[in-house]
Amino acid sequence: MTHSILHIDTSIKPEGSMSKTLTRDIVARLQGAHPDSSVTYRDLAAHPLPETDAAWIAAISVPAEDRSPEQADIAALSDRLIEEVRNADTIVIGLPVYNFNIPSQLKVWLDLLARPGEAFRYTEEGPEGLIKGPRAIIAYASNGTRIGSDIDFASTYMRHILGFFGITDVQFVASDHFAIDADSSVKAANDDIAGLAA
């Protein structure tokens, strides 16, 4: 069976991006283990997604059969993004840390996924994620915000929101002190990649 990979980059750097380097290496490792794999790629900085707004809320709040043509067009992109996540065996996400948190481009993608009845639902026992199949590997890249530190709001948010969607198998590859010691930062990330179960 084909192994489906969803590859998401979010760095605003057109060149020299550590998170892009890491996601590329992670995908290459997965492809080496699964020669028949397929890859769906999105560069959210090069091709930004539209932010959620009042028109988006209105479009997703009515049943599909009752949407106007304009509402159907608005909801279609969100539908497609959710299907990409649902159909993935592994999601590889580039996470450059900007000002201690995730890039705005990545937040927009997550907002477009965060639809009640599609990505999650509320029950008497609390929220339940509805996307339970994929595994996520996140390439965490920072000049000095150490992963898991008190000032790291990026990795904790990603683990929480993906878990909220039902994606609980979340792993991190981290180059988190590049400006302090580039060599050891890159080595740590490469060691993480080498230790991944493909």
Side-chain angles (χ1 to χ4, degrees):
M1 177 179 278
T2 300
H3 188 90
S4 177
I5 301 167
L6 177 58
H7 179 179
I8 303 291
D9 275 330
T10 65
S11 174
I12 60 176
K13 293 181 180 178
E15 297 180 0
S17 164
M18 176 54 66
S19 66
K20 285 183 178 179
T21 298
L22 295 177
T23 60
R24 184 189 65 229
D25 292 347
I26 293 166
V27 169
R29 176 169 173 76
L30 294 171
Q31 289 179 305
H34 305 277
D36 61 344
S37 60
S38 65
V39 179
T40 299
Y41 179 66
R42 284 190 179 272
D43 185 332
L44 302 183
H47 303 284
L49 298 168
E51 293 187 14
T52 55
D53 57 14
W56 182 81
I57 286 289
I60 68 160
S61 297
V62 297
E65 62 272 16
D66 295 332
R67 290 172 187 152
S68 69
E70 293 79 13
Q71 289 175 328
D73 286 343
I74 291 170
L77 173 61
S78 180
D79 291 340
R80 187 160 62 251
L81 296 174
I82 291 170
E83 278 306 298
E84 288 176 356
V85 172
R86 278 201 187 114
N87 292 336
D89 294 300
T90 304
I91 307 167
V92 179
I93 302 171
L95 175 55
V97 178
Y98 298 150
N99 303 316
F100 315 107
N101 215 323
I102 70 172
S104 59
Q105 294 82 2
L106 180 55
K107 180 63 163 57
V108 171
W109 180 70
L110 292 165
D111 286 345
L112 289 168
L113 296 176
R115 285 172 54 183
E118 297 288 347
F120 67 93
R121 65 179 178 179
Y122 290 108
T123 71
E124 291 181 358
E125 290 74 35
E128 176 188 2
L130 300 178
I131 307 174
K132 298 180 179 179
R135 162 200 190 191
I137 303 173
I138 300 177
Y140 180 104
S142 171
N143 279 333
T145 302
R146 296 279 191 158
I147 191 168
S149 69
D150 290 343
I151 60 172
D152 165 29
F153 304 103
S155 71
T156 51
Y157 175 74
M158 288 302 297
R159 189 180 294 279
H160 176 79
I161 191 68
L162 292 175
F164 185 73
F165 296 161
I167 302 169
T168 56
D169 185 356
V170 180
Q171 298 169 279
F172 287 87
V173 167
S175 172
D176 61 0
H177 54 289
F178 191 83
I180 300 166
D181 186 341
D183 289 343
S184 70
S185 185
V186 172
K187 182 181 184 303
N190 289 335
D191 288 346
D192 285 346
I193 293 173
L196 288 172

